Amino acid sequence: MSQMLQMYTQVGPEQFGTLIGQTAPYFASIAPRFVELRPGYAEVTFAKRQEVLNHLGTVHAIALCNAAELAAGTMTDVSIAEGCRWIPKGMTVEYLAKAEGDVVAIADGSEIDWQSTGDMVVPVTAYVGEKAVFRAAITMYVSRA
């Protein structure tokens, strides 16, 4: 079990988002809450609040990117083979609709071979309710430590 997954298990999903924000302060800007984290899957939510809004009163595009990178990164960390490390290499995003409410970002890496190394493309979709508002493909470079 990865150190990150151990920490998640020990403190629980409520406190884990706060700890991540202390470790990587930029993630704290969205005040994330983890719903679930396990190998191949991460679900992160954040509330629509003044600090994450754009000039239109909807959730800012970069807040969506921030949640996507958080979900993809934590999921990658708990999924890669022992003795490996990772770093984000690139991100392609699509804004599908205005994000007019609380956001749920889901990274689904169930189709990725986490025992290999090299470029892994992690798909992330963000929803407001049942409506998909954002999609990202985040390339993670995985190598032996």
Short mmCIF file of all heavy atoms in Angstrom, two decimals, residues 23 29 35 41-43 48 51 56 77-80 83 91 99 102-104 111 116-117 123 137 141 144:
data_model
loop_
_atom_site.label_atom_id
_atom_site.label_comp_id
_atom_site.label_asym_id
_atom_site.label_seq_id
_atom_site.Cartn_x
_atom_site.Cartn_y
_atom_site.Cartn_z
N THR A 23 0.20 20.06 2.25
CA THR A 23 1.39 19.55 1.56
C THR A 23 1.63 20.30 0.25
O THR A 23 2.76 20.65 -0.08
CB THR A 23 1.24 18.04 1.28
OG1 THR A 23 0.97 17.38 2.52
CG2 THR A 23 2.49 17.46 0.65
N SER A 29 -6.74 25.85 -2.50
CA SER A 29 -7.55 26.94 -3.05
C SER A 29 -8.97 26.50 -3.42
O SER A 29 -9.88 27.32 -3.46
CB SER A 29 -6.86 27.57 -4.26
OG SER A 29 -6.83 26.65 -5.35
N VAL A 35 -14.08 11.92 -1.80
CA VAL A 35 -15.21 11.01 -1.63
C VAL A 35 -14.68 9.59 -1.57
O VAL A 35 -15.08 8.79 -0.74
CB VAL A 35 -16.23 11.17 -2.77
CG1 VAL A 35 -17.36 10.15 -2.65
CG2 VAL A 35 -16.76 12.60 -2.81
N TYR A 41 -8.91 4.66 -9.12
CA TYR A 41 -10.10 5.51 -9.00
C TYR A 41 -9.90 6.58 -7.92
O TYR A 41 -9.41 6.27 -6.83
CB TYR A 41 -11.31 4.68 -8.62
CG TYR A 41 -12.62 5.44 -8.61
CD1 TYR A 41 -13.35 5.60 -9.77
CD2 TYR A 41 -13.10 6.00 -7.44
CE1 TYR A 41 -14.55 6.30 -9.77
CE2 TYR A 41 -14.30 6.70 -7.42
CZ TYR A 41 -15.02 6.85 -8.59
OH TYR A 41 -16.20 7.54 -8.58
N ALA A 42 -10.30 7.80 -8.25
CA ALA A 42 -10.35 8.88 -7.25
C ALA A 42 -11.55 9.76 -7.56
O ALA A 42 -11.86 10.05 -8.73
CB ALA A 42 -9.08 9.72 -7.27
N GLU A 43 -12.22 10.19 -6.50
CA GLU A 43 -13.36 11.09 -6.63
C GLU A 43 -13.17 12.22 -5.62
O GLU A 43 -13.02 11.98 -4.42
CB GLU A 43 -14.65 10.33 -6.35
CG GLU A 43 -15.89 11.12 -6.62
CD GLU A 43 -17.15 10.27 -6.53
OE1 GLU A 43 -17.08 9.04 -6.76
OE2 GLU A 43 -18.21 10.85 -6.24
N LYS A 48 -19.09 25.13 -4.93
CA LYS A 48 -19.15 26.41 -5.63
C LYS A 48 -19.21 27.49 -4.55
O LYS A 48 -20.14 27.53 -3.75
CB LYS A 48 -20.39 26.49 -6.52
CG LYS A 48 -20.53 27.81 -7.23
CD LYS A 48 -21.84 27.93 -7.98
CE LYS A 48 -21.97 29.33 -8.56
NZ LYS A 48 -23.30 29.54 -9.14
N GLU A 51 -14.59 32.04 -3.84
CA GLU A 51 -13.16 31.91 -4.14
C GLU A 51 -12.85 31.15 -5.43
O GLU A 51 -11.74 31.24 -5.93
CB GLU A 51 -12.43 31.23 -2.98
CG GLU A 51 -12.41 32.03 -1.70
CD GLU A 51 -13.68 31.91 -0.86
OE1 GLU A 51 -14.64 31.24 -1.29
OE2 GLU A 51 -13.70 32.48 0.24
N LEU A 56 -18.34 35.44 -14.54
CA LEU A 56 -19.72 35.09 -14.92
C LEU A 56 -20.50 34.49 -13.75
O LEU A 56 -21.68 34.19 -13.87
CB LEU A 56 -19.71 34.09 -16.07
CG LEU A 56 -19.01 34.54 -17.36
CD1 LEU A 56 -18.95 33.40 -18.35
CD2 LEU A 56 -19.71 35.75 -17.95
N ASP A 77 -0.77 8.10 -7.78
CA ASP A 77 0.13 7.77 -6.68
C ASP A 77 -0.25 6.46 -6.00
O ASP A 77 0.63 5.67 -5.65
CB ASP A 77 0.15 8.90 -5.65
CG ASP A 77 1.31 8.77 -4.70
OD1 ASP A 77 2.40 9.26 -5.03
OD2 ASP A 77 1.12 8.16 -3.63
N VAL A 78 -1.53 6.21 -5.82
CA VAL A 78 -1.94 4.98 -5.13
C VAL A 78 -2.06 3.80 -6.08
O VAL A 78 -2.29 2.68 -5.63
CB VAL A 78 -3.26 5.16 -4.34
CG1 VAL A 78 -3.13 6.32 -3.35
CG2 VAL A 78 -4.46 5.33 -5.23
N SER A 79 -1.85 4.02 -7.39
CA SER A 79 -2.02 2.96 -8.38
C SER A 79 -0.72 2.41 -8.93
O SER A 79 -0.67 1.25 -9.33
CB SER A 79 -2.86 3.48 -9.56
OG SER A 79 -4.12 3.91 -9.13
N ILE A 80 0.32 3.23 -8.98
CA ILE A 80 1.57 2.79 -9.62
C ILE A 80 2.23 1.66 -8.83
O ILE A 80 1.99 1.49 -7.64
CB ILE A 80 2.55 3.96 -9.83
CG1 ILE A 80 2.91 4.62 -8.51
CG2 ILE A 80 2.00 4.94 -10.83
CD1 ILE A 80 3.97 5.73 -8.62
N GLY A 83 8.04 1.01 -6.03
CA GLY A 83 9.34 1.35 -6.59
C GLY A 83 9.27 2.30 -7.77
O GLY A 83 10.28 2.57 -8.41
N MET A 91 -1.55 18.15 -19.95
CA MET A 91 -2.98 18.10 -19.69
C MET A 91 -3.72 18.71 -20.88
O MET A 91 -3.39 19.81 -21.31
CB MET A 91 -3.31 18.87 -18.41
CG MET A 91 -4.80 18.92 -18.10
SD MET A 91 -5.22 20.05 -16.74
CE MET A 91 -4.77 19.10 -15.33
N ALA A 99 -20.05 25.42 -15.30
CA ALA A 99 -20.13 24.73 -14.01
C ALA A 99 -20.84 25.67 -13.05
O ALA A 99 -20.24 26.57 -12.48
CB ALA A 99 -18.73 24.36 -13.52
N ASP A 102 -21.82 22.86 -7.25
CA ASP A 102 -20.73 22.08 -6.65
C ASP A 102 -20.21 21.07 -7.67
O ASP A 102 -20.97 20.51 -8.46
CB ASP A 102 -21.23 21.34 -5.41
CG ASP A 102 -21.65 22.30 -4.29
OD1 ASP A 102 -21.38 23.51 -4.40
OD2 ASP A 102 -22.26 21.81 -3.33
N VAL A 103 -18.91 20.84 -7.65
CA VAL A 103 -18.23 20.02 -8.66
C VAL A 103 -17.75 18.71 -8.06
O VAL A 103 -17.24 18.67 -6.93
CB VAL A 103 -17.03 20.80 -9.24
CG1 VAL A 103 -16.21 19.93 -10.19
CG2 VAL A 103 -17.51 22.07 -9.95
N VAL A 104 -17.90 17.64 -8.84
CA VAL A 104 -17.32 16.33 -8.51
C VAL A 104 -16.40 15.95 -9.67
O VAL A 104 -16.84 15.89 -10.82
CB VAL A 104 -18.41 15.24 -8.34
CG1 VAL A 104 -17.77 13.89 -8.10
CG2 VAL A 104 -19.36 15.60 -7.22
N GLU A 111 -8.67 1.32 -16.69
CA GLU A 111 -8.22 0.72 -17.96
C GLU A 111 -6.71 0.84 -18.17
O GLU A 111 -6.20 0.42 -19.20
CB GLU A 111 -8.95 1.38 -19.13
CG GLU A 111 -10.48 1.25 -19.08
CD GLU A 111 -10.93 -0.20 -19.23
OE1 GLU A 111 -10.38 -0.92 -20.08
OE2 GLU A 111 -11.83 -0.62 -18.47
N SER A 116 3.16 -1.01 -15.55
CA SER A 116 4.14 -0.60 -16.56
C SER A 116 4.67 0.80 -16.23
O SER A 116 4.25 1.43 -15.27
CB SER A 116 3.52 -0.64 -17.95
OG SER A 116 2.44 0.27 -18.03
N THR A 117 5.60 1.27 -17.05
CA THR A 117 6.17 2.60 -16.90
C THR A 117 5.98 3.35 -18.21
O THR A 117 5.58 2.77 -19.22
CB THR A 117 7.66 2.54 -16.52
OG1 THR A 117 8.36 1.80 -17.52
CG2 THR A 117 7.86 1.90 -15.15
N PRO A 123 -7.84 9.71 -17.62
CA PRO A 123 -9.04 10.48 -17.94
C PRO A 123 -9.73 10.98 -16.67
O PRO A 123 -9.84 10.26 -15.69
CB PRO A 123 -9.92 9.45 -18.67
CG PRO A 123 -9.50 8.13 -18.11
CD PRO A 123 -8.04 8.27 -17.74
N ALA A 137 -7.61 14.94 -20.11
CA ALA A 137 -6.73 13.79 -20.30
C ALA A 137 -5.37 14.27 -19.78
O ALA A 137 -4.75 15.18 -20.35
CB ALA A 137 -6.64 13.41 -21.77
N TYR A 141 3.88 10.79 -16.38
CA TYR A 141 5.06 10.02 -16.73
C TYR A 141 5.45 9.19 -15.50
O TYR A 141 5.73 9.74 -14.42
CB TYR A 141 6.22 10.91 -17.16
CG TYR A 141 7.46 10.12 -17.49
CD1 TYR A 141 7.49 9.32 -18.62
CD2 TYR A 141 8.56 10.14 -16.65
CE1 TYR A 141 8.60 8.56 -18.91
CE2 TYR A 141 9.68 9.38 -16.94
CZ TYR A 141 9.70 8.60 -18.07
OH TYR A 141 10.81 7.83 -18.35
N ARG A 144 10.74 4.17 -12.93
CA ARG A 144 11.30 3.49 -11.76
C ARG A 144 12.03 4.54 -10.93
O ARG A 144 12.71 5.40 -11.48
CB ARG A 144 12.27 2.39 -12.17
CG ARG A 144 11.62 1.30 -12.99
CD ARG A 144 10.94 0.27 -12.12
NE ARG A 144 10.18 -0.65 -12.97
CZ ARG A 144 9.00 -1.13 -12.64
NH1 ARG A 144 8.43 -0.80 -11.51
NH2 ARG A 144 8.37 -1.95 -13.45
#
